[in-house]
């Protein structure tokens, strides 16, 4: 069974905090990439729901892409 709340509880708040703090795309990518990887190992199954919230943020999008998660239109 997947872990559907991982985005809402972990990734989304951290990504928003990084945005609000004015973090660089590089910092967002370096922070979120390992978090996303760890959640995937725990069978996170709603990655696209979180990615969709941040499609306009290159650093966040890159963190997802580093873990093989891309928006279907980007494939």
């Amino acid at each position: 069974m997947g872990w559907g709340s991982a985005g809402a509880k972990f990734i989304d708040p951290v990504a928003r905090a990084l945005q609000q703090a004015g973090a660089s795309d590089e910092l967002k990518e370096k922070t979120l990439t390992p978090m996303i990887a760890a959640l995937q190992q725990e069978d996170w199954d709603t990655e696209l729901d979180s990615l969709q919230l941040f499609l306009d943020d290159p650093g966040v999008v890159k963190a997802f892409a580093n873990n093989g998660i891309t928006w279907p239109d980007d494939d």
Side-chain angles (χ1 to χ4, degrees), residues 18-33:
L18 288 166
Q19 287 177 327
Q20 291 170 356
S24 67
D25 288 339
E26 180 182 6
L27 181 58
K28 292 175 200 172
E29 179 183 353
K30 287 185 177 191
T31 301
L32 295 171
T33 295

Side-chain angles (χ1 to χ4, degrees), residues 18-62:
L18 288 166
Q19 287 177 327
Q20 291 170 356
S24 67
D25 288 339
E26 180 182 6
L27 181 58
K28 292 175 200 172
E29 179 183 353
K30 287 185 177 191
T31 301
L32 295 171
T33 295
M35 291 179 65
I36 293 166
L39 291 171
Q40 283 184 303
Q41 290 177 357
E42 297 298 322
D43 198 23
W44 183 24
D45 60 0
T46 58
E47 302 101 330
L48 290 177
D49 293 342
S50 289
L51 175 56
Q52 184 177 20
L53 299 174
F54 300 100
L55 289 174
D56 63 342
D57 189 315
V60 177
V61 170
K62 181 73 173 165

Side-chain angles (χ1 to χ4, degrees), residues 4 9 12 60 64:
K9 288 185 178 182
D12 303 352
V60 177
F64 277 92

